[in-house]
Amino acid sequence: MQIQVTVNGRKHTSEVEPRTLLVQYVREVLELTGTNIGCDTSSCGACSLHIDGEAVKSCTVLAVQADGANITTIEGMATADGTLHPMQQAFMENHGLQCGYCTPGMVMAATSLLKEIPNPTEEEVRIGLEGNLCRCTGYHNIVKAVLAAAGK
Amino acid sequence: MIPAAFDYVRASSAAEAISLIGQHGSDAKFLAGGHSLLPLMKLRLVAPSVLVDVGRITDLSYIKDAGDHIAIGAMTRHMDVEKSAVLAQHAPLLAHAAGYVGDPQVRHRGTIGGSIAHADPASDLPATTLALGATYVVQGPNGTREIPASSFFHGFLQSDLAEDEMLTEIRVPKMNGAGWSFQKFNRRAQDWAIVGVAAWRGSHGSGVALVNMGQTPILASAVSKALAGGASIADAAALAADDAEPSPDNNASVEYRTHLAKVLVRRALEQASA
């Protein structure tokens, strides 16, 4: 089936099998491998990206369901000249990562969260990131980074 | 994990969806947000030959004040139920419970109709709408019918829906200021409830339903009956598991689930009565 999507501002028309997962499409067809596959069971959030500005788990969305949508992946967060998105900058400054595997999903979930709650409390950040697992940091600096980004 | 191959068709109205599912037979399935169905398909626990995508039927995404009840379109996403001002005013228990479904990413995609039609006893919204005395509106080739939540759930993932019927609307009676509580006991924030309780109590009665305490969401009728007869909260809560038939799993034995149900119903009634 043919789908048309806009990913990070670029339009793509692709022929996909209906069973193609959005994360597979983004990684294997568009070769945007910043979006990671973690648990593959919509638990861990590593595959989070934005559909029309809202974070979703792309391992549990079919590419055909995203037909016509505006998609942003982690590759679309920094500006063309390489200036990091404020959330990426905050993760860097607050050392909100260790191994980095969950980080793209964390950044996408956190930016979606701040759209819904622009000035969250620490508790709201922790609850808002309940769909993203990090096995390294204990979340401490991730929460710090999101609070720092919210303050900007 | 990739689902088995299937054909994919899109419906732009409920009538078209019902016609498409009729054409494709018993092996076809409706796809709404996909957050119950796709995980099962990825694990190859189900392998429908055709998916009829109803997720683009925007006409079925609404929350309306309909006088004595609130009408919710089946394709309304959990996030929209959670943030609805109409529900916050007239059925706050449902809006609150919707905020406990999965996590924000799941709530951006999953729909209330999909969750109820899936009839998973471990899901939050089947039990919550059951506690509230909701009515489900179902459309089929020969028109619509209304099914009380109390007779909708037949067994594990089994409901009163015929193969060619589609859940289109959920009607939730206004709570009229009744006290309420939603208790969800789990080990990790995003998990299904090990046991959950949705409860309300007002001048005109009470409603208590249990999550994950049997093959279907369970209406704890014995609790409401005891309260109506003047029993104390503690005495009524002791009857919490009387209507339930819990199963053991990795998280909890039958005895532990039964204990949790009593404790959580007591907490819920205390909160709803405060």
Side-chain angles (χ1 to χ4, degrees):
Chain A
M1 180 178 167
Q2 195 178 73
I3 60 166
Q4 278 191 311
V5 289
T6 304
V7 181
N8 302 333
R10 276 189 62 188
K11 281 193 177 149
H12 299 271
T13 304
S14 308
E15 190 65 34
V16 297
E17 252 195 289
R19 62 173 166 168
T20 308
L21 303 171
L22 182 58
V23 70
Q24 253 186 302
Y25 173 71
V26 164
R27 288 178 56 86
E28 294 170 21
V29 178
L30 304 184
E31 299 185 340
L32 295 168
T33 53
T35 303
N36 286 331
I37 298 174
C39 69
D40 207 5
T41 57
S42 58
S43 298
C44 79
C47 67
S48 297
L49 48 70
H50 293 178
I51 293 184
D52 299 327
E54 292 174 328
V56 304
K57 293 180 168 179
S58 61
C59 75
T60 309
V61 179
L62 299 171
V64 289
Q65 287 180 291
D67 185 16
N70 201 341
I71 294 166
T72 308
T73 68
I74 189 69
E75 289 91 341
M77 297 301 275
T79 58
D81 67 359
T83 306
L84 294 180
H85 184 279
M87 187 63 75
Q88 293 173 304
Q89 189 67 33
F91 267 67
M92 198 176 83
E93 286 168 6
N94 291 280
H95 195 52
L97 63 145
Q98 283 179 33
C99 87
Y101 199 85
C102 73
T103 312
M106 284 286 180
V107 168
M108 301 315 283
T111 46
S112 179
L113 170 67
L114 290 196
K115 259 190 207 168
E116 282 158 26
I117 310 175
N119 287 299
T121 61
E122 181 186 331
E123 195 189 353
E124 285 171 328
V125 171
R126 288 183 183 274
I127 292 171
L129 294 178
E130 69 181 322
N132 293 73
L133 303 182
C134 171
R135 303 304 300 269
C136 305
T137 63
Y139 303 96
H140 185 80
N141 285 354
I142 292 174
V143 174
K144 221 166 110 183
V146 178
L147 289 171
K152 277 177 189 168
Chain B
M1 296 181 295
I2 310 296
F6 55 85
D7 289 328
Y8 171 87
V9 288
R10 249 176 224 161
S12 53
S13 67
E16 191 187 0
I18 290 154
S19 153
L20 284 167
I21 210 108
Q23 283 167 38
H24 291 289
S26 61
D27 223 15
K29 278 266 194 197
F30 289 125
L31 172 70
H35 275 57
S36 298
L37 182 58
L38 292 177
L40 291 179
M41 288 175 64
K42 289 176 69 181
L43 293 165
R44 307 266 177 137
L45 293 171
V46 292
S49 58
V50 180
L51 286 189
V52 177
D53 189 349
V54 294
R56 290 170 191 256
I57 307 178
T58 45
D59 290 0
L60 289 183
S61 175
Y62 57 82
I63 298 171
K64 290 179 196 160
D65 188 328
D68 63 342
H69 68 273
I70 306 299
I72 306 168
M75 290 303 103
T76 308
R77 303 177 311 160
H78 300 312
M79 188 62 82
D80 299 321
V81 172
E82 179 188 352
K83 309 242 164 171
S84 161
V86 174
L87 286 174
Q89 189 184 346
H90 296 295
L93 169 57
L94 179 59
H96 181 82
Y100 281 84
V101 177
D103 53 53
Q105 290 97 313
V106 170
R107 298 196 288 275
H108 284 145
R109 296 289 305 172
T111 64
I112 184 169
S115 174
I116 290 169
H118 187 55
D120 187 339
S123 291
D124 301 316
L125 302 188
T128 302
T129 50
L130 176 63
L132 287 167
T135 300
Y136 306 143
V137 183
V138 162
Q139 193 173 330
N142 304 316
T144 61
R145 62 188 181 111
E146 295 172 18
I147 310 169
S150 55
S151 54
F152 182 79
F153 301 102
H154 291 187
F156 183 71
L157 308 186
Q158 302 290 318
S159 76
D160 204 49
L161 283 168
E163 276 165 3
D164 56 357
E165 283 184 318
M166 181 181 166
L167 175 60
T168 54
E169 186 175 278
I170 295 92
R171 293 181 181 163
V172 179
K174 287 187 179 173
M175 292 177 66
N176 298 319
W180 55 273
S181 175
F182 185 72
Q183 302 282 328
K184 184 171 181 174
F185 190 88
N186 56 14
R187 279 139 75 106
R188 297 178 306 182
Q190 62 178 217
D191 279 345
W192 279 273
I194 294 173
V195 175
V197 174
W200 62 269
R201 192 180 187 189
S203 52
H204 53 299
S206 67
V208 180
L210 310 174
V211 180
N212 216 356
M213 279 296 284
Q215 297 297 299
T216 64
I218 301 290
L219 194 63
S221 309
V223 175
S224 292
K225 209 174 148 193
L227 289 174
S232 68
I233 286 175
D235 288 346
L239 308 174
D242 277 22
D243 298 278
E245 286 181 60
S247 304
D249 62 17
N250 287 346
N251 286 316
S253 64
V254 169
E255 292 74 18
Y256 183 47
R257 280 212 154 84
T258 303
H259 171 73
L260 275 177
K262 293 176 186 177
V263 171
L264 295 175
V265 166
R266 178 178 52 74
R267 285 183 194 166
L269 290 175
E270 282 168 358
Q271 199 173 16
S273 307

